[in-house]
Amino acid sequence: MRQFFGWLSLVVLMVFLVIGALFIMRPFGEPPSVMDDYIIDNAQEEAASNNVVAAVLFDYRGFDTLGEATVLFAAVTGALLVLRASHKKEET
Amino acid sequence: MSKIVRTVANQLILFVVIFGLYVIIQGHVTPGGGFQGGAIIASGAVLLIVASGSQEIKTWLRERRLSVVESSGALLFILLAFAGIGTVFFFNFLVGSRLFGGIPSVGPNPGDVWTGGVIPLMNLGVGLKVMAGLSAVVLALALFSGGEELEE
Amino acid sequence: MSTLIAHSSILIIAVTLATAFLTPLVGIASKRARNTLIVLALAFVAFLVVALARDVMLNQIHVYTLGAAAPDLTIPGGAIVPVRIILEVDGLSAFMGIVIAIVSLVAVIYSMSALKTETGQNGFYTLLLLMAAGMFGMVFTGDLFNLFVFLEITSISGAALIAFRTKFADSQEGGFKYIVVSAVASLMILFAIGLLYSQYNLLNIGALAATMEYTMLDRIALVILMSAFVMKLGGVPLHMWLSDTYSVAPASIPALLIVASQASLYALLRTSFTLYGVTLDQSVAGWIIIIVGLLSMFVGVTMAILQTDITRLIAYNCVCESGFMLVGLGVGLAVLADPGALDAFGTMAMNGAVFHMINHALFEGLLFLVAGAIFYRIGTRDLNQMCGLGHTMKLTSVLFLLGALASAGIPPFNGFASKILIYESVYQFNPILTMIGILVSILTLAVFMKVFFSAFTGASLPRYRDVREVPRPMVAAMIVLAAGIIFFGLFPGLVLDWIVQPATDALVNQGAYIDAIMGAVP
């Protein structure tokens, strides 16, 4: 019973935060974003790419893409490490 | 799986790979890119594993080799970023040069693969990385759930 | 040299990342080449960190705009806000960079002999480097989303490293716990970043701080960010994962995990001091941080008394020590708007807390390495199984005593230097806090005396007769940390002037952080 009320209060709190935040958020696209306009106007010239999304991914925010690729790299390395054979190991 | 499934899968894999490469190479012109194309090719690897079973796949494809390809893709990506350090790290130094150097006209235009500077090359690096990484994890999980001991 | 320093902030992150990508390739060819490569790369990175820190402390905030036409072109012509990702290194970032560089180098040297016989070393070192790169990225970036990305890198590689000893069920459980906690925290952070982005269409911390209006939505984002970072650093209501994960990781990893949780503390400070700063309701936020800190101190030390597992005990002591930092920083935040109080004791409290961060990394790191050395030789972490190890492992027992005394705040070690600053300044804010702090320190001493007497003194048991001192690289790694402890304890003024004071100034001076981004309009 205590556990149930604990979970309930957690859910209520989260719903309050998330739904509350959604209600007082500004409408989508308002106010007009200076950053977006700059990128849309200049991507073809600066990054020489017709696909503005690709320009953002690899030019304007390329470092984030490098980071996300590294997240995947870490996940794969970690999965292979955890699933590795353990029988060759000796006592430490 | 039955012989029909295996035969069809072996034929289909070619198309899957070609489609994935298309999505990777055209990433800077049309929707798509390295992540998406790499995931498509990795889905081809999943198709093969499901059709022929992990025991048969592991005779010619091991997760260790795949992780070498993955590291190379990641290295290609970061080296391309390093190459711009004459100006600034991640500078698009190939714009205007001979390699992928075309600059599209501003506004609507028919599009050209020979544009984008380092973006297509980075897409290639990320594509290699994602393809090898996802395939390696799927293969490792398939082998592991089959009770197989993985190599180091 | 000046070119190198201009690019140093990105080189620190990128060289570590590139080495991580190279490690599996080189490791297949030769183990020796791999180990040399890793040590050389980390030594180069440490050199760059020191050079960058010197430059930042002497001159001004270092900015680096990735992919722009020039490193200091933060806002492109034709725009009024930053568009690209900007790295921004001020005194606090440089300070954290020094901590990370020292601890990761020590951890690598220690692991090289401690894990010599284990399989999967290529993956281990790759992940260790990725974790170091992630922490460097977290403290150097000036972009909220970039902070999130590097936090993800740090937590995913950390979880895999905790689960490294796959033959023990509890280490797999520890890794799983860490990844669940990290995933929850990172999703909360991502949600908060989304809220801020929807509000201002900006991601740069300096630019956000300049336009912050402190509406209701911003308050919700603040609450989510603060609770997520407290969760990642192991403050008390959310500390449950910490002892289960630190205690099962291979010996050098907890030392890195401590630094990772301090990077989360750094993010908490960035959020409260720089991102919200003057708009914040300082005394409320400050008191919340103080209460979290007090709870951490008290629960940490009382739980530590009960433990019989040596690494779990040290892990609870970590919770306790991070409480000291939170109290010091909370006092500083509470009086941020009051220049008189800030001069009288606020700056001093923050100095103590920031100084305690590097001290904490040194002595807790040393204690974990010593616990790892004991485990390396006798294969158990249970205090009830240990007896009389001091007869054969003389150096290790001296090093343990050193770390324990530093942790309890006994002069002349570094823990004393930072704790006395916290006590003195917090006493002027609220005397009860200091009393609790001193009580907690005494209890810490009691905790470690229990460990010392049960593990190192007493009759030497027959089954531990042939236990020897650990191999030389492990001893060397421990001695580096011990030397740091003694040096910082003997010359606290030097350290305070050179690296701690600039870090505190950077925390207080929100305007300088904003101007480094927004003031550079060409």
Side-chain angles (χ1 to χ4, degrees):
Chain A
M1 201 59 192
R2 248 177 72 201
Q3 213 173 13
F4 173 75
F5 279 114
W7 282 110
L8 192 72
S9 57
L10 188 73
V11 168
V12 167
L13 185 72
M14 291 318 285
V15 166
F16 175 74
L17 281 181
V18 175
I19 305 286
L22 287 180
F23 268 111
I24 53 180
M25 248 162 81
R26 295 189 188 172
F28 185 72
E30 270 179 45
S33 161
V34 187
M35 188 163 87
D36 300 358
D37 288 344
Y38 178 84
I39 290 175
I40 293 169
D41 291 341
N42 291 281
Q44 281 177 313
E45 204 175 335
E46 277 185 10
S49 160
N50 262 349
N51 186 349
V52 177
V53 175
V56 172
L57 267 182
F58 287 96
D59 194 306
Y60 291 101
R61 300 196 72 85
F63 199 48
D64 275 346
T65 311
L66 180 63
E68 286 298 341
T70 312
V71 167
L72 186 64
F73 182 80
V76 171
T77 316
L80 293 182
L81 189 72
V82 173
L83 296 180
R84 77 186 192 279
S86 50
H87 63 94
K88 266 188 282 180
K89 259 185 289 180
E90 295 162 28
E91 286 301 310
T92 45
Chain B
M1 287 277 168
S2 73
K3 195 161 192 173
I4 301 174
V5 176
R6 264 184 289 162
T7 317
V8 172
N10 284 343
Q11 306 300 322
L12 262 181
I13 186 73
L14 189 66
F15 295 100
V16 172
V17 170
I18 288 175
F19 180 55
L21 284 178
Y22 165 78
V23 170
I24 293 174
I25 297 295
Q26 292 267 330
H28 56 296
V29 184
T30 57
F35 275 102
Q36 295 85 341
I40 289 170
I41 300 182
S43 75
V46 177
L47 180 70
L48 280 186
I49 292 171
V50 170
S52 348
S54 51
Q55 293 304 317
E56 203 181 314
I57 299 291
K58 78 164 188 190
T59 54
W60 57 276
L61 189 69
R62 286 309 302 242
E63 64 281 351
R64 188 169 169 185
R65 281 183 217 161
L66 283 171
S67 85
V68 169
V69 178
E70 191 193 8
S71 300
S72 322
L75 263 182
L76 175 63
F77 189 7
I78 200 167
L79 285 182
L80 280 168
F82 255 118
I85 207 160
T87 326
V88 171
F89 194 77
F90 257 109
F91 185 69
N92 200 336
F93 66 101
L94 283 179
V95 172
S97 73
R98 289 261 202 66
L99 188 66
F100 290 106
I103 303 174
S105 55
V106 177
N109 64 64
D112 181 8
V113 183
W114 206 244
T115 55
V118 289
I119 296 178
L121 294 171
M122 282 182 172
N123 263 326
L124 198 66
V126 173
L128 272 180
K129 209 200 87 63
V130 171
M131 172 200 81
L134 290 183
S135 318
V137 162
V138 171
L139 186 61
L141 286 175
L143 288 173
F144 187 77
S145 58
E148 182 94 2
E149 290 268 322
L150 301 182
E151 35 186 289
E152 184 183 335
Chain C
M1 193 64 193
S2 63
T3 337
L4 194 65
I5 287 179
H7 292 281
S8 56
S9 59
I10 187 63
L11 278 176
I12 290 165
I13 305 171
V15 166
T16 324
L17 270 182
T19 317
F21 296 148
L22 260 176
T23 304
L25 298 178
V26 179
I28 290 173
S30 146
K31 275 190 174 182
R32 184 179 284 266
R34 179 197 66 199
N35 291 358
T36 323
L37 171 77
I38 295 170
V39 171
L40 282 182
L42 279 179
F44 178 60
V45 164
F47 163 73
L48 280 180
V49 169
V50 173
L52 173 65
R54 186 173 166 277
D55 186 55
V56 168
M57 316 252 167
L58 286 181
N59 301 321
Q60 75 287 344
I61 295 178
H62 170 104
V63 291
Y64 193 90
T65 317
L66 288 154
D72 53 357
L73 188 68
T74 51
I75 299 175
I80 49 166
V81 291
V83 173
R84 293 168 185 274
I85 296 175
I86 299 172
L87 301 181
E88 187 165 4
V89 184
D90 64 357
L92 186 66
S93 316
F95 172 82
M96 288 303 298
I98 292 174
V99 179
I100 297 166
I102 295 175
V103 175
S104 51
L105 194 57
V106 167
V108 162
I109 292 173
Y110 185 88
S111 314
M112 284 195 172
S113 79
L115 298 174
K116 217 170 208 164
T117 52
E118 305 252 354
T119 57
Q121 288 192 37
N122 284 345
F124 179 85
Y125 290 116
T126 310
L127 289 168
L128 204 156
L129 286 167
L130 285 180
M131 198 170 165
M135 291 187 289
F136 278 129
M138 270 179 82
V139 298
F140 283 173
T141 188
D143 192 279
L144 263 185
F145 189 77
N146 208 236
L147 178 78
F148 162 76
V149 168
F150 280 107
L151 183 79
E152 285 271 271
I153 296 178
T154 313
S155 20
I156 289 179
S157 39
L161 285 172
I162 291 167
F164 177 72
R165 290 196 164 126
T166 43
K167 62 182 164 186
F168 302 119
D170 57 354
S171 62
Q172 302 213 5
E173 191 193 325
F176 184 68
K177 258 185 195 166
Y178 190 72
I179 197 97
V180 169
V181 168
S182 304
V184 171
S186 349
L187 284 178
M188 282 162 75
I189 292 164
L190 185 61
F191 181 61
I193 293 173
L195 287 182
L196 288 174
Y197 185 66
S198 80
Q199 183 97 317
Y200 302 109
N201 291 309
L202 289 170
L203 286 170
N204 189 282
I205 296 177
L208 269 172
T211 48
M212 183 63 73
E213 291 160 7
Y214 205 48
T215 58
M216 194 64 202
L217 205 60
D218 295 338
R219 277 172 226 214
I220 294 180
L222 175 70
V223 168
I224 296 175
L225 279 176
M226 277 175 91
S227 36
F229 286 131
V230 168
M231 191 165 182
K232 281 291 292 172
L233 82 90
V236 142
L238 301 162
H239 68 294
M240 65 287 170
W241 56 274
L242 199 134
S243 56
D244 290 344
T245 54
Y246 282 22
S247 59
V248 294
S252 53
I253 299 307
L256 270 179
L257 287 172
I258 290 169
V259 186
S261 57
Q262 289 194 355
S264 302
L265 179 61
Y266 163 87
L268 177 69
L269 299 180
R270 257 299 159 250
T271 316
S272 45
F273 282 88
T274 307
L275 182 57
Y276 286 85
V278 287
T279 57
L280 197 65
D281 192 352
Q282 275 110 358
S283 67
V284 175
W287 267 105
I288 291 174
I289 293 184
I290 291 172
I291 288 170
V292 170
L294 277 183
L295 280 174
S296 305
M297 280 156 68
F298 202 71
V299 173
V301 79
T302 41
M303 288 301 283
I305 292 176
L306 302 174
Q307 303 304 318
T308 55
D309 180 328
I310 181 164
T311 43
R312 277 184 85 85
L313 184 143
I314 302 171
Y316 274 113
N317 187 47
C318 279
V319 177
C320 162
E321 298 295 335
S322 49
F324 279 96
M325 297 171 221
L326 286 172
V327 167
L329 293 163
V331 169
L333 184 59
V335 297
L336 189 61
D338 178 0
L342 198 64
D343 278 344
F345 57 88
T347 322
M348 195 170 159
M350 284 195 279
N351 267 343
V354 172
F355 193 14
H356 203 61
M357 280 162 88
I358 191 166
N359 292 344
H360 175 73
L362 289 176
F363 61 68
E364 297 291 347
L366 178 65
L367 288 172
F368 271 116
L369 294 190
V370 169
I374 296 173
F375 185 76
Y376 180 79
R377 275 303 178 216
I378 68 172
T380 177
R381 300 193 303 258
D382 192 354
L383 281 173
N384 294 332
Q385 311 266 335
M386 298 177 193
C387 189
L389 293 172
H391 292 287
T392 45
M393 301 173 82
K394 288 199 173 63
L395 200 54
T396 312
S397 55
V398 171
L399 289 171
F400 179 84
L401 198 61
L402 220 140
L405 292 179
S407 173
I410 305 290
F413 302 113
N414 62 357
F416 171 74
S418 49
K419 278 188 178 176
I420 192 78
L421 282 175
I422 298 177
Y423 295 152
E424 276 185 11
S425 52
V426 171
Y427 187 81
Q428 296 175 47
F429 180 71
N430 194 336
I432 299 171
L433 300 183
T434 300
M435 288 173 201
I436 297 177
I438 292 176
L439 178 71
V440 166
S441 277
I442 295 169
L443 285 175
T444 309
L445 188 63
V447 167
F448 281 117
M449 284 309 107
K450 177 185 100 171
V451 178
F452 185 74
F453 282 107
S454 68
F456 292 104
T457 60
S460 71
L461 294 182
R463 62 189 152 137
Y464 297 144
R465 212 25 78 66
D466 52 347
V467 167
R468 283 171 296 121
E469 194 60 68
V470 287
R472 250 183 230 149
M474 287 166 78
V475 174
M478 292 191 276
I479 284 180
V480 169
L481 291 182
I485 290 175
I486 294 174
F487 179 79
F488 283 16
L490 290 181
F491 306 102
L494 213 62
V495 185
L496 270 176
D497 285 348
W498 272 95
I499 58 176
V500 175
Q501 190 65 49
T504 316
D505 290 345
L507 265 185
V508 177
N509 197 347
Q510 186 199 15
Y513 194 89
I514 296 173
D515 283 346
I517 299 282
M518 305 299 284
V521 184

